[in-house]
Amino acid sequence: MYFNKVDICGINTSKLKTLTDEQKDELLKKCANGDSAARNELIDGNLRLVLSVIQKFGGRGEDADDLFQIGCVGLIKAIDNFDISVGVKFSTYAVPMIIGEIRRYLRDNNMLRISRGIRDVAYKALSANETLTRKTGREPTVAEIAAEIGEDEASVAQALEAIIAPVSLYDPVYNDGGDSIYLMDQISDNSCTDEVWLENIALNDAMKKLNEREKSIIAMRFYNGKTQMEISDEIGISQAQVSRIEKGALDRIKKQM
């Protein structure tokens, strides 16, 4: 894929700087006080983050240099608007900003200029398709999708045909060695706001700080729906131990968030 070439916008990607979390925190504090040199160093030190995001936008026929420049605009906006008092990692805040900037560019650069109304119907249809597939174990018909979202069949068919290169709502657009970030926020849905999405990212960050046993118990309890007794039988410890580990893990997650 062309994103793997060494030079993007005249920059040798193999020589991009990498900042530690401590360096980022220090530079962010200086930047908040108006230090332009620190701002420039932050931009240079986070270009790898931009590169990792744009690699997920392949197959669209867009020029890598253009996407990289647009991603850098999102990075700069993230640096200028980041609040160091919030207590989240900079990448947690910056990634959605970079993705949003690229999405706006792709939307505005779309030659077909699909209307927002048609696009919203299409994304609702894609969401309904995912939901119905999980429920029924098969691909739903257009009529079933239309009934699910309260639209007429013709409108749904037209909206789905209008989308260029439809993607799954669960296609990852960014991965930093842990949980992926997906395209779910493209749905026009008041229950999936940017605030909710950032809160979920903060939850994922907090989960990463748990040890393996705590992660396993939390996953089985809240993602797989198992009881404490079922977990105790599966991993070979008492139900009281499971309860104690679960409570401790939840307390640590709350403090991290």
Side-chain angles (χ1 to χ4, degrees), residues 2-229:
Y2 61 84
F3 285 121
N4 290 329
K5 64 183 182 180
V6 174
D7 292 311
I8 293 185
C9 295
I11 299 172
N12 187 338
T13 57
S14 65
K15 295 183 178 180
L16 291 176
K17 296 179 183 178
T18 301
L19 298 174
T20 65
D21 288 340
E22 291 75 15
Q23 289 173 322
K24 287 179 185 177
D25 290 342
E26 185 62 30
L27 289 170
L28 284 165
K29 290 176 184 176
K30 292 180 179 179
C31 189
N33 292 323
D35 190 327
S36 59
R39 180 175 182 268
N40 291 334
E41 192 172 346
L42 267 173
I43 294 170
D44 290 341
N46 282 282
L47 293 179
R48 283 190 182 276
L49 185 63
V50 177
L51 183 63
S52 66
V53 172
I54 69 168
Q55 286 176 336
K56 306 304 179 182
F57 286 86
R60 297 170 180 264
E62 298 291 338
D63 184 78
D65 288 356
D66 290 343
L67 292 184
F68 187 74
Q69 290 182 54
I70 297 300
C72 287
V73 173
L75 171 64
I76 292 169
K77 287 183 178 181
I79 291 172
D80 291 344
N81 291 282
F82 185 69
D83 185 351
I84 58 177
S85 67
V86 173
V88 299
K89 290 174 62 177
F90 174 69
S91 60
T92 300
Y93 178 77
V95 169
M97 294 283 282
I98 296 169
I99 292 173
E101 202 66 32
I102 293 173
R103 278 210 242 99
R104 278 189 290 274
Y105 166 78
L106 293 174
R107 180 195 65 206
D108 295 340
N109 200 44
N110 183 355
M111 293 179 64
L112 294 183
R113 302 293 182 188
I114 301 171
S115 73
R116 180 60 184 268
I118 292 177
R119 190 180 294 273
D120 283 348
V121 171
Y123 285 132
K124 286 180 183 177
L126 287 173
S127 178
N129 181 72
E130 298 278 358
T131 301
L132 292 171
T133 298
R134 287 198 304 271
K135 285 181 180 177
T136 64
R138 61 174 176 79
E139 191 75 15
T141 64
V142 174
E144 289 172 331
I145 293 173
E148 178 75 10
I149 65 175
E151 298 281 349
D152 64 84
E153 192 173 339
S155 296
V156 171
Q158 179 189 16
L160 290 175
E161 289 174 1
I163 288 186
I164 300 174
V167 294
S168 168
L169 294 173
Y170 297 95
D171 278 352
V173 294
Y174 173 73
N175 188 295
D176 192 16
D179 295 311
S180 298
I181 296 175
Y182 302 95
L183 292 176
M184 288 295 292
D185 66 328
Q186 290 198 19
I187 306 169
S188 179
D189 183 355
N190 291 333
S191 67
C192 189
T193 63
D194 289 343
E195 289 78 9
V196 171
W197 190 32
L198 287 173
E199 193 171 283
N200 288 335
I201 296 173
L203 174 61
N204 287 332
D205 279 343
M207 283 284 291
K208 291 175 186 177
K209 293 181 172 62
L210 302 178
N211 62 43
E212 291 306 314
R213 171 162 282 189
E214 289 171 330
K215 288 179 184 177
S216 177
I217 288 175
I218 292 296
M220 285 189 283
R221 281 284 285 144
F222 299 101
Y223 292 93
N224 299 334
K226 293 187 178 182
T227 65
Q228 291 182 348
M229 286 299 297

